[in-house]
Amino acid sequence: MSDPKLPVAPKPAVRRFHQARWDEPIIFELDTPGERGVLPPATEVGVTAAVGDAVSDLPSSLRRTAPLNLPRVAQPRVLRHYLRLSQENLGADLNVDVGQGTCTMKYAPKVNDQLVANPNLRDIHPLQGEESVQGALEIIWLAEQALREVSGMDRVSMASTGGSSAIWTNIAMIRKYHESRGEGEQRDEVITTIFSHPSNAAAAAVAGYKVITIYPDADGYPDLDALKAAVSERTAAIMVTNPEDTGIYNPDIAEWVDVAHSVGALASYDQANANGILGITRARDAGFDVCHFNFHKTFGTPHGSGGPGGGATGAAKHMVPFLPGPIVDRVGDEFVVSPGGKESIGYVSPFYGVVPVIAKAYAWIAALGGAGLRAVAETAVLNNNYLMKKILEIPGATAPYAEGRRRIEQVRYSWEDLYKDTGISSEEIGVRASDFGVHYWTSHHPYVVPQPFTLEPTESYSRAELDEYAAILAHVADEARNSPEIIKTAPHNQTVHQTGYSDLDDPERWAITWRMYQKKYPEAQEG
Amino acid sequence: MILGVIVNPVAGVGGPAGLKGTDGEEILNRALQAGVSPKAGERAVRALSQLANEANLEIVTGPGPLGADAAALAGLDDAHVQVLPLEPTGSGRDTISLAKQMAEQGVDLILFVGGDGTARDVAAGIEDTSTPILGVPAGVKMYSGCFGLSPESAGQMSLHPPHRTRVVEILDVDEEQVRTGRVDPKLFALAEVPDDSAKLQRRKVATVASDRDAVEAVARGLVEQMQPGVTYLVGPGGTTATVLDRLGLRGTPLGVDAVRDGAIVARDVSQDQALDLVRTAPGPAKAIIGVIGGQGFVLGRGNQQLSADVVNALADSDPQGGFPLLVGATQSKLLDLLGKPLLVDTGDPLTDRKLAGPIRVQIGPGNIAMYTLASAERM
């Protein structure tokens, strides 16, 4: 019971937060001669006599002439080092991570980490004979069956190591398809939309295509007339994301596919934003020839940087021969591996793709079942439209393009009105939001929506957490009007204060490696 | 670092009085009669305050309200301020004369306080010396790409000699026209500004690449499209000037030049000369044009030589019936339009309507935006 005589501080409107700062050196700077993590005992004489020194059997080309220059640090110090670094980090499991729209920062169940840590999966080697890894092959095969069902496609390859890797696989297959028909040189253009993921334009460019980007029509939807004007016998493919990064679902998507097919081009579906359509609509049903998934965005595996990534490419029947290897087939009760179809693009990654990620994705899908997947999408869409209502109640926040319409699983909002009133930019709001312990993301570059911010609540957050996130943004928007200095001097509660942006614009000042930093900024090392 | 500072003391006076600008003595008098007090001096002080306490800075400026007053009010050390001799005339001639002297002295940068009219005068004064310039926004019209986002950011950008510059267009509109409701910016000069796009106006778009690199990319994309045997009418502007640079040619940045097979075949052509060139060309002809100003005009603003007749002749010259224009623009220029279409105003509505629709706009090598071109009469 609290003492009624003691004054009680009023509960703040938003959470008070402060990031830890340890000023921790990098691990190499902790090198201390004489320290060790583990000091193994010297090999007994009898052992050496029996098996030799274990090194001289190696060919001399494989032997080091000098020992590895690793830091010498005691084990408890190593533990403290990494715990401190982890405290200087605003991790996905720590914050209400709805502020990184299009990243689909959903909960990655920990039980699946335990599952893939099982030695039966963890300790196998990709060079083992097929007969000794039947269980792992079965998981790959089962995951493919699930993704076939989700996409409607005839076969699905999981050899890609991430979303963009899978998009690359899509365009590589498309290129091979046209080459196989003698139209490889003629078809040198790929069409995408400005609100599709930039990975599509990038993958097409890397594959040697000219990229044509369609801008929205007057109503904010992908411009079908512009597509019709853009396609020709030179078009190799359309590569589009749907729903787009605005959260707007292209209502004419089937017609887009038809327009592409009418000139002999193929249609590739970027399903990075599939979280809002699981069990509701399928790539094949709109007529797409190939599609991709990000395991980490849609199927509950940790993101790249939070764990290895993984991607899948789905192919309609006529595209199956071009799929990358390996292909896992079930023959009777056995699982057998083949290097892909007769016109396969070859391998896009070594061995089988990222098997632990495939296993986690399959576990996630199997735990939910078909009805569960649809519930994921419905909850994600409900959460998004709930959050949109809360955000649009904040003076200065808008959702440009197709205004007034509901969105699927994310929204690209704009602070342009707030910026005009206060001069506070979206980047500054994001920096200030970090003072309350949450992530915030603007948009891909270039900014098409002015002063953008992109929120995607997914199915993982409770109503109370969405309310908290909206309250933080409302609080910061209020500060922009009433105490802008707090925002201009933010962050106040973060590990790092005030970074200079102008350096980001100037390649001559970039230092993207430690060595480059030492070379370009020798003065920084002296302090 | 030697910094030239020019204040146009009457810049911006016409704005609050609703006069759309302050070009011309009569307008200035009407504004002053309406009780408007000049704001340029105050904005000059805000910019120059950023430079106080700066050790290695020498200022060269004009007398009294042309700069010296603001420097004193901003707390700049007299010992580092050199006042140029000038008998003020109270007109744009003062700006021209100061800019000329500063360019001759070899200043690192000219910081001027004013609007488009002042920018034109500064550009006229420095002539072809390539002296970098930077505007403290204080005018009514600021269509040119040379202004800092605020007096403070312009001041901060003047602290160091620019280590990279880029070319921007100095535009101005005829105020008499604006007062009658028509906006028709003309291209008056190209000028070098510090390439620090984060602090320059018109930077509504954050891109990692600098604007200079983006314009280079557009020019490379356009050059990639050029074919042997085709005659190209290269329109005015910064983007098209970069195209000629890439071809190793020196053209007329503010005029229309004709190029065929990597060589200039005619310079600074008039409408009639352009028409003649297209009709007598040995093969097809096309026009290479940029987007001038912030309003998205492709034809009819700053490039009136490319008239309706010329455009129709271009269309007729191509037996394949291809689009007569190769249009290039940086992506940020398109995004700045906030979804509004590109515009065409050749003076002939029928020609405009023929051109209208989604067109290919080159934004880089192998990089094309499908963007809507609309007839200005419909807007």
Side-chain angles (χ1 to χ4, degrees):
Chain A
M1 290 294 285
S2 61
D3 185 337
K5 278 169 285 183
L6 289 176
V8 179
K11 191 171 161 49
V14 286
R15 181 194 300 278
R16 285 170 298 178
F17 163 83
H18 204 297
Q19 185 84 51
R21 170 154 186 160
W22 286 98
D23 229 1
E24 182 73 359
I26 66 170
I27 189 80
F28 283 90
E29 292 172 321
L30 291 174
D31 176 53
T32 310
E35 281 194 20
R36 287 285 189 285
V38 180
L39 204 56
T43 315
E44 290 162 47
V45 180
V47 174
T48 313
V51 300
D53 64 3
V55 174
S56 48
D57 284 348
L58 289 171
S60 62
S61 62
L62 291 180
R63 273 182 259 156
R64 291 193 167 277
T65 52
L68 256 182
N69 188 19
L70 292 174
R72 293 156 289 184
V73 190
Q75 205 169 62
R77 185 66 186 88
V78 172
L79 184 63
R80 274 192 286 281
H81 175 73
Y82 287 107
L83 281 174
R84 287 170 183 178
L85 294 189
S86 77
Q87 288 190 348
E88 293 191 320
N89 197 340
L90 198 52
D93 287 332
L94 204 55
N95 82 112
V96 179
D97 212 359
V98 309
Q100 299 196 65
T102 91
C103 286
T104 320
M105 300 301 293
K106 58 162 74 183
Y107 177 58
K110 300 305 159 215
V111 66
N112 293 339
D113 291 341
Q114 293 169 10
L115 181 81
V116 302
N118 183 314
N120 289 331
L121 190 63
R122 186 190 63 200
D123 295 347
I124 56 176
H125 194 279
L127 288 177
Q128 275 178 238
E130 287 167 30
E131 70 289 346
S132 69
V133 290
Q134 284 289 302
L137 295 179
E138 182 173 3
I139 290 173
I140 294 172
W141 185 83
L142 285 168
E144 185 189 349
Q145 306 318 305
L147 294 182
R148 281 177 58 192
E149 195 59 39
V150 169
S151 64
M153 291 301 195
D154 292 287
R155 291 297 306 248
V156 179
S157 159
M158 287 160 292
S160 303
T161 51
S164 293
S165 162
I167 292 170
W168 162 259
T169 301
N170 289 0
I171 188 63
M173 289 167 62
I174 288 166
R175 188 172 59 181
K176 195 91 194 243
Y177 169 88
H178 290 307
E179 280 168 5
S180 75
R181 299 159 60 90
E183 294 181 351
E185 281 194 21
Q186 166 202 327
R187 296 188 183 272
D188 63 350
E189 294 179 347
V190 164
I191 299 170
T192 185
T193 69
I194 189 73
F195 286 123
S196 287
H197 274 130
S199 296
N200 294 280
V206 170
Y209 289 100
K210 291 174 187 159
V211 177
I212 300 174
T213 306
I214 308 266
Y215 284 64
D217 66 16
D219 298 324
Y221 289 99
D223 190 340
L224 182 60
D225 288 336
L227 175 72
K228 287 175 181 168
V231 294
S232 70
E233 73 290 343
R234 292 177 62 181
T235 313
I238 62 168
M239 299 183 78
V240 293
T241 307
N242 193 34
E244 297 198 299
D245 280 350
T246 48
I248 294 169
Y249 190 88
N250 181 350
D252 300 322
I253 191 65
E255 196 173 348
W256 273 60
V257 173
D258 289 345
V259 168
H261 287 165
S262 70
V263 294
L266 296 175
S268 170
Y269 194 168
D270 173 328
Q271 298 195 105
N273 295 338
N275 207 48
I277 58 170
L278 286 175
I280 295 168
T281 175
R282 307 195 304 173
R284 188 73 185 116
D285 301 338
F288 279 95
D289 304 286
V290 287
C291 70
H292 106 288
F293 290 106
N294 303 57
F295 287 133
H296 47 292
K297 289 191 185 193
T298 309
F299 300 110
T301 72
H303 266 242
S305 312
T313 283
K317 198 167 182 186
H318 55 285
M319 297 304 289
V320 170
F322 304 95
L323 275 170
I327 302 276
V328 177
D329 281 303
R330 182 178 193 158
V331 179
D333 288 337
E334 256 184 84
F335 296 95
V336 297
V337 181
S338 66
K342 59 181 188 307
E343 294 183 275
S344 168
I345 58 168
Y347 278 59
V348 293
S349 70
F351 307 115
Y352 299 95
V354 189
V355 175
V357 171
I358 297 170
K360 283 185 208 183
Y362 177 66
W364 190 86
I365 293 169
L368 282 161
L373 289 185
R374 189 178 170 109
V376 162
E378 288 171 348
T379 310
V381 173
L382 179 65
N383 275 357
N384 183 47
N385 284 280
Y386 174 78
L387 184 65
M388 178 162 78
K389 183 164 186 309
K390 303 276 294 188
I391 295 296
L392 294 181
E393 283 167 4
I394 303 172
T398 59
Y401 297 100
E403 285 196 57
R405 305 298 295 271
R406 294 216 186 278
R407 304 300 168 97
I408 306 296
E409 85 310 347
Q410 68 181 347
V411 182
R412 182 150 296 157
Y413 300 92
S414 173
W415 285 124
E416 178 73 357
D417 291 352
L418 186 76
Y419 177 71
K420 280 184 188 149
D421 289 351
T422 66
I424 296 292
S425 69
S426 183
E427 279 103 343
E428 288 172 308
I429 288 186
V431 169
R432 177 61 176 149
S434 77
D435 276 341
F436 301 97
V438 293
H439 286 156
Y440 172 102
W441 186 60
T442 52
S443 156
H444 301 114
H445 292 254
Y447 290 172
V448 180
V449 168
Q451 302 301 336
F453 63 113
T454 313
L455 309 183
E456 179 178 11
T458 77
E459 72 283 5
S460 296
Y461 293 97
S462 68
R463 181 172 162 179
E465 287 168 323
L466 299 182
D467 287 345
E468 178 180 355
Y469 197 92
I472 289 169
L473 290 192
H475 179 83
V476 176
D478 187 61
E479 286 180 338
R481 293 181 194 280
N482 297 311
S483 44
E485 277 308 309
I486 292 182
I487 299 182
K488 285 183 180 160
T489 51
H492 305 283
N493 308 335
Q494 272 299 337
T495 314
V496 177
H497 297 271
Q498 294 285 308
T499 49
Y501 280 101
S502 67
D503 288 357
L504 299 177
D505 266 0
D506 186 356
E508 285 166 36
R509 282 182 276 171
W510 289 351
I512 52 175
T513 64
W514 176 245
R515 271 178 211 283
M516 200 186 283
Y517 177 70
Q518 287 172 310
K519 207 166 162 184
K520 282 192 176 180
Y521 299 95
E523 71 282 1
Q525 264 103 103
E526 288 154 15
Chain B
M1 162 86 183
I2 307 175
L3 178 68
V5 174
I6 301 175
V7 180
N8 171 7
V10 300
V13 164
L19 298 172
K20 311 276 194 306
T22 326
D23 298 351
E25 208 171 326
E26 190 205 335
I27 293 296
L28 173 59
N29 286 333
R30 274 166 61 190
L32 294 174
Q33 275 164 20
V36 176
S37 64
K39 282 271 170 62
E42 181 205 318
R43 294 177 81 81
V45 173
R46 280 171 59 189
L48 295 180
S49 300
Q50 306 293 318
L51 309 174
N53 313 321
E54 203 53 36
N56 301 314
L57 192 64
E58 297 293 329
I59 306 273
V60 184
T61 189
L66 299 174
D69 290 353
L73 280 169
L76 301 186
D77 185 354
D78 281 355
H80 295 285
V81 177
Q82 178 203 346
V83 180
L84 295 169
L86 181 86
E87 211 44 64
T89 64
S91 75
R93 288 198 296 281
D94 296 345
T95 303
I96 298 176
S97 162
L98 287 173
K100 192 171 162 61
Q101 292 185 58
M102 289 171 185
E104 281 164 3
Q105 277 205 20
V107 298
D108 293 301
L109 176 73
I110 295 177
L111 182 72
F112 70 92
V113 184
D116 280 333
T118 319
R120 268 172 71 180
D121 290 336
V122 172
I126 61 174
E127 293 177 340
D128 293 332
T129 58
S130 303
T131 308
I133 69 170
L134 177 64
V136 174
V140 181
K141 307 158 291 160
M142 285 177 284
Y143 292 97
S144 309
C146 59
F147 294 100
L149 273 174
S150 64
E152 286 78 10
S153 70
Q156 283 165 19
M157 284 170 76
S158 316
L159 280 171
H160 308 288
H163 75 285
R164 265 161 67 102
T165 60
R166 65 193 177 90
V167 174
V168 298
E169 291 158 354
I170 303 299
L171 306 165
D172 200 1
V173 294
D174 183 327
E175 288 180 9
E176 279 308 318
Q177 279 187 353
V178 178
R179 286 184 202 106
T180 60
R182 186 153 172 237
V183 177
D184 183 359
K186 285 194 173 58
L187 177 61
F188 281 92
L190 299 178
E192 309 250 347
V193 299
D195 189 32
D196 190 349
S197 3
K199 296 197 181 76
L200 273 186
Q201 244 182 32
R202 313 210 47 72
R203 158 91 170 198
K204 291 174 189 144
V205 186
T207 50
V208 176
S210 75
D211 273 1
R212 187 181 74 170
D213 296 336
V215 170
E216 277 287 336
V218 173
R220 273 195 290 149
L222 288 169
V223 169
E224 233 176 50
Q225 295 295 306
M226 296 176 78
Q227 286 166 5
V230 177
T231 305
Y232 293 96
L233 299 177
V234 182
T239 306
T240 45
T242 312
V243 169
L244 292 180
D245 269 357
R246 288 205 69 83
L247 295 171
L249 303 173
R250 273 195 80 80
T252 320
L254 305 183
V256 176
D257 301 309
V259 174
R260 183 166 59 239
D261 295 328
I264 293 198
V265 293
R267 275 174 207 282
D268 199 11
V269 299
S270 65
Q271 193 234 160
D272 290 346
Q273 289 167 324
L275 204 52
D276 200 45
L277 263 167
V278 174
R279 287 183 178 151
T280 58
K286 288 187 186 298
I288 299 182
I289 47 184
V291 176
I292 291 187
Q295 293 157 307
F297 272 98
V298 162
L299 282 177
R301 298 290 183 273
N303 54 12
Q304 281 85 346
Q305 302 95 318
L306 301 172
S307 65
D309 287 347
V310 172
V311 170
N312 287 318
L314 289 171
D316 293 342
S317 76
D318 182 0
Q320 312 274 335
F323 196 68
L325 313 174
L326 284 183
V327 181
T330 60
Q331 196 174 20
S332 55
K333 226 166 191 176
L334 295 180
L335 297 178
D336 277 353
L337 296 173
L338 296 174
K340 292 192 299 271
L342 291 168
L343 296 173
V344 55
D345 178 15
T346 62
D348 173 32
L350 209 65
T351 304
D352 293 350
R353 267 175 253 153
K354 266 193 279 182
L355 295 172
I359 65 161
R360 292 179 172 222
V361 179
Q362 203 77 35
I363 58 177
N367 199 349
I368 294 152
M370 209 66 199
Y371 206 90
T372 300
L373 179 66
S375 164
E377 62 159 351
R378 305 220 159 163
M379 302 312 292

